[in-house]
Amino acid sequence: SRAALMKSFAHLCLSVDRMDIFREPVSLQDVPDYLDIVVRPMSWSVIDEKLSGHQYLDLQDFKVRDT
């Protein structure tokens, strides 16, 4: 299914992030000006939540919106 394919793709991307740098959202407490620099913040945990909630129509939608 599409959902399974996209989940596999996300997990493959996550495996490349060996230091877990992008696993969780950046803490605005630690980096208060983060949103001044990054327009559309994203993390693997947010992507996983979106995949679980079927918020992506297809792989292209995933790539365009959040990668």
Side-chain angles (χ1 to χ4, degrees):
S1 76
R2 271 189 204 162
L5 176 65
M6 290 190 301
K7 194 110 173 149
S8 290
F9 179 72
H11 285 249
L12 177 64
C13 292
L14 179 61
S15 71
V16 175
D17 184 17
R18 292 189 177 113
M19 296 178 62
D20 290 336
I21 294 170
F22 301 106
R23 180 171 292 279
E24 298 297 327
V26 171
S27 165
L28 297 180
Q29 199 168 30
D30 294 338
V31 189
D33 63 343
Y34 184 71
L35 296 178
D36 296 334
I37 299 164
V38 179
V39 178
R40 288 181 21 213
M42 188 52 52
S43 68
W44 294 118
S45 63
V46 172
I47 289 172
D48 194 46
E49 286 175 24
K50 287 183 169 189
L51 284 168
S52 295
H54 306 285
Q55 294 183 28
Y56 299 112
L57 301 175
D58 54 29
L59 191 55
Q60 183 64 25
D61 188 38
F62 167 75
K63 290 175 11 181
V64 168
R65 290 170 59 190
D66 291 330
T67 59

